[in-house]
Amino acid sequence: MMVSVIVPIYNAEQYLSVCLESILKQTYKDLEVILVEDGSTDGSLQICMKYAERDARISILQEGHHGLVAARKLGVEKAEGTYCMFVDSDDWIEENLLESIIPLTENGTADIVSFNVKSVEADRIRKWEYTIAEGRYEDEQLEQIYEKMMFDFEKGCPGVIQSIWTKLMKRELLWSSIKSVDERITLGEDAAVVYHAFLLAKKIIITNQYLYYYRIHQDSMVRSKNMNVFEKIYIFQQYMRSLFLKFENKYGLEKQLQAYLIHFIVKGISDNFSLKMRKSYHIPLGLLEKEKKIILYGAGVVGKSYYRQLMAYEDIQVVAWVDGGMGNQSFYDCIIESPEVMDFIDYDKVLIAVKDQKIAGEIKKRLCKKIPEERVLWAEPKDYWWEKEITL
């Protein structure tokens, strides 16, 4: 069963050889390698030609510079494999990637096999994870994916990683989901194909194997002011909405799309207006009852969110804001004091403002050496995906 490995290439000479070597060293040999050279102005084409001379499985496609979406379409259109997968030209894959996932197609009956990725930045490696459990999904089981594939509201992130390069897909399915993609899309290119393909699939296999390496380099980390990002978000949103209409907006797809876009909107605001945004944490309902005088313990992100909320309560007074490591600093015209000040203040309760349960437990244990346990309050702070606040 032949696999078509498609590599879109544009000005990638620095990393291209590593990418191609990892493909050609695959222990699974029945493959073709399609290099879509998208009008590079560096030495990428020469590298492609060198490798094509070396290995007959490689073919090179050239049609000028038309962008990533067009390059991917061309690669799939010319592919002859039963299955296709993409590798970005600055990434690389495990030598046993195909050997590991081909058996998971269950003799070619699976439409998609989705695997995991590690991102590599200098010497730092981070694992990306799904919230969809490993396993086989078909028939009514597919709804378990569809209801949270673009955004899992319980976990606050996509249920399925949107990257197209962590998916082995049947060529016919991939072509059905990519051929009509709006070529103006330059933000969300992967998601535009992947989530459509998932909705069209009859059998999907999820594996937790980490087989792909995504390179994060300085070029990909550059942030610049570009107001066009909001137009890009709009183009992507309109395209995805047009797809979801065909599915009568089942599975909360429109709501998932809105949540998915928040990340791009926040990044656009940050890049263009130099505003840093973070989660907003809510004091859990019922934690504060009849208390009038509160000592707020913790001046980190959670503490700052709590302080602003407490200032809105007319019947609650923050008599002190304390933090063991931030004494004498000032936030919102309030001086952060050392916890020792608690010995000299009249108060009803101490509200611990930290997210981590273990750290909160350690703080509570220290406090309870001096005061009764019922005077110390903590519950896990609540945050909602749609709420962000500006960091000043």
Side-chain angles (χ1 to χ4, degrees), residues 198-217:
F198 268 62
L199 288 167
L200 297 175
K202 302 299 183 184
K203 181 193 287 189
I204 298 172
I205 308 296
I206 303 288
T207 175
N208 290 335
Q209 296 180 72
Y210 291 89
L211 301 168
Y212 191 100
Y213 292 89
Y214 166 59
R215 188 193 303 273
I216 300 177
H217 46 82

Side-chain angles (χ1 to χ4, degrees), residues 290-333:
K290 298 179 180 180
E291 291 75 23
K292 300 295 184 181
K293 297 179 180 180
I294 293 291
I295 291 178
L296 182 62
Y297 196 116
V301 175
V302 177
K304 294 183 180 72
S305 288
Y306 278 15
Y307 182 80
R308 287 192 298 278
Q309 293 167 63
L310 291 169
M311 289 299 96
Y313 287 97
E314 294 182 357
D315 57 344
I316 293 179
Q317 179 186 3
V318 177
V319 295
W321 192 0
V322 305
D323 190 295
M326 302 178 73
N328 295 321
Q329 295 189 45
S330 176
F331 299 108
Y332 313 114
D333 296 323

Side-chain angles (χ1 to χ4, degrees), residues 90-146:
D90 50 358
D91 299 338
W92 72 97
I93 57 178
E94 289 280 8
E95 292 182 10
N96 67 336
L97 185 152
L98 290 174
E99 185 177 26
S100 298
I101 62 176
I102 289 297
L104 299 180
T105 67
E106 299 180 353
N107 294 319
T109 60
D111 294 305
I112 301 173
V113 178
S114 189
F115 45 93
N116 268 352
V117 57
K118 295 179 182 178
S119 61
V120 181
E121 182 181 2
D123 295 329
R124 296 176 56 194
I125 298 178
R126 180 175 71 89
K127 292 181 177 181
W128 294 20
E129 296 182 354
Y130 302 97
T131 69
I132 304 293
E134 186 175 44
R136 178 198 301 110
Y137 296 84
E138 54 187 329
D139 301 324
E140 65 277 359
Q141 296 170 330
L142 290 167
E143 294 187 12
Q144 298 174 35
I145 294 179
Y146 299 157

Side-chain angles (χ1 to χ4, degrees), residues 21-227:
E21 288 289 346
S22 72
I23 296 170
L24 297 178
K25 289 180 180 178
Q26 287 297 295
T27 51
Y28 185 87
K29 301 301 183 183
D30 190 6
L31 55 87
E32 64 170 354
V33 184
I34 301 174
L35 308 182
V36 187
E37 218 301 310
D38 192 35
S40 297
T41 57
D42 63 1
S44 295
L45 177 58
Q46 288 70 33
I47 295 173
C48 292
M49 294 173 66
K50 180 185 73 173
Y51 275 90
E53 291 175 1
R54 166 181 151 187
D55 197 313
R57 295 175 297 175
I58 294 178
S59 60
I60 303 173
L61 303 179
Q62 293 177 268
E63 282 201 1
H65 182 51
H66 298 292
L68 180 58
V69 172
R72 285 175 171 174
K73 285 184 181 180
L74 180 60
V76 178
E77 182 180 9
K78 301 300 182 181
E80 297 182 359
T82 304
Y83 285 91
C84 295
M85 69 167 289
F86 289 96
V87 180
D88 275 5
S89 56
D90 50 358
D91 299 338
W92 72 97
I93 57 178
E94 289 280 8
E95 292 182 10
N96 67 336
L97 185 152
L98 290 174
E99 185 177 26
S100 298
I101 62 176
I102 289 297
L104 299 180
T105 67
E106 299 180 353
N107 294 319
T109 60
D111 294 305
I112 301 173
V113 178
S114 189
F115 45 93
N116 268 352
V117 57
K118 295 179 182 178
S119 61
V120 181
E121 182 181 2
D123 295 329
R124 296 176 56 194
I125 298 178
R126 180 175 71 89
K127 292 181 177 181
W128 294 20
E129 296 182 354
Y130 302 97
T131 69
I132 304 293
E134 186 175 44
R136 178 198 301 110
Y137 296 84
E138 54 187 329
D139 301 324
E140 65 277 359
Q141 296 170 330
L142 290 167
E143 294 187 12
Q144 298 174 35
I145 294 179
Y146 299 157
E147 290 173 350
K148 55 184 177 182
M149 66 178 181
M150 200 167 196
F151 201 86
D152 184 336
F153 289 90
E154 183 178 343
K155 302 294 185 180
C157 62
V160 172
I161 295 174
Q162 70 275 15
S163 57
I164 199 170
W165 21 262
T166 58
K167 314 290 184 290
L168 181 75
M169 300 189 197
K170 276 192 174 177
R171 190 261 172 198
E172 291 80 4
L173 174 72
L174 178 56
W175 180 243
S176 295
S177 59
I178 201 173
K179 64 181 180 182
S180 61
V181 173
D182 189 335
E183 294 187 9
R184 295 177 301 161
I185 294 177
T186 56
L187 182 152
E189 307 99 318
D190 287 25
V193 179
V194 167
Y195 295 128
H196 189 197
F198 268 62
L199 288 167
L200 297 175
K202 302 299 183 184
K203 181 193 287 189
I204 298 172
I205 308 296
I206 303 288
T207 175
N208 290 335
Q209 296 180 72
Y210 291 89
L211 301 168
Y212 191 100
Y213 292 89
Y214 166 59
R215 188 193 303 273
I216 300 177
H217 46 82
Q218 196 59 40
D219 293 344
S220 63
M221 297 295 288
V222 171
R223 293 187 175 193
S224 59
K225 295 184 183 299
N226 181 3
M227 295 300 291

